[in-house]
Amino acid sequence: MAEQNASSDGEPLKEMRPRVSSIGRGAGGPGDQSRRRQFKARSRELERGVSVPVLSPGSEAKAPLPLSTKEVVSVGHGQGHEFVKKTFFQPTFCHHCAELLWGLKGQGMKCMICNFVSHEKCIPNLSVSCRHIIAGKITDPVAHQWTQPRSFHRKKWCNVCRKRIHAKGVICEVCKLYSHTVCKANAFNNCKNCATYNNGVKQEIRHHWIEGNLTSSARCVVCTKNCSTENSLSGFRCGWCGYNVHSACIGQLEEREANERVCTHRDLWHLVLAPRAVTHRQSVKSHVEQEREEEAVDGE
């Protein structure tokens, strides 16, 4: 036996054993089949989001894998979005510049909270705040007046979830805000305030910007170019003066006009009835109450 296990030079021959390079290769015996089953089971658990150690033949257990390897980019200039790089499998357009997201993988960024889609280069110049930021900016909540569910001839986008309305949707009769039937319950009460609650007090009217769903003839007041698009929820329209502006141009409008926030109804000043012209009846004092107040002042 010693002669058989030695070569002509006197060196021992290597023992012949079946070689298994990795899981899933080689003819292997029952041990290799069990390893394949374990590997497939762990792969399915990883797909379901369960963090388990990954084992390879002849190696020790490694550290658990994270549940998500996506890189979250938080915007720190006041808009509050939390973006994640995402791969889109159908043509998708930026909600800021309304241009197509080019590429085969990782074309753009998507907010995990409000579904806002943007180019990575457009993030520093965003003019739309995230939903949890908008909720804190509403100081005078006014409920929307929704219509019955209806279908639309043109493409419309939901102002709540920022997705396209494929089936029937609803629209606010006052501010022309569009929404899915199931999304209207989550819409903010930020409709136009068409009446004042302070009798005799003159209040300044601010622009009531409504995002997206512009008419086909809408033109930007800054660059005078067409700002209507059916590919995404982009652009703004003032509910009072009717001015349209690109999402990328609204910052230039603020720089150009110092009092841009105050709306004077511009070309529609002779057609629009200001909110201060309509007073809520609960704030109007009756003649009897006014006489009692005057008598009390005279008595003092």
Side-chain angles (χ1 to χ4, degrees), residues 9-54:
D9 298 334
E11 296 180 356
L13 294 174
K14 294 182 180 179
E15 189 177 7
M16 301 300 293
R17 293 182 179 177
R19 180 182 298 178
V20 180
S21 59
S22 61
I23 296 177
R25 294 185 181 180
D32 296 331
Q33 295 179 2
S34 63
R35 293 191 189 97
R36 294 193 196 99
R37 287 194 295 268
Q38 293 177 5
F39 182 78
K40 292 180 180 179
R42 292 190 179 95
S43 300
R44 287 192 294 268
E45 291 178 350
L46 284 174
E47 292 177 357
R48 292 195 300 267
V50 180
S51 180
V52 296
V54 179

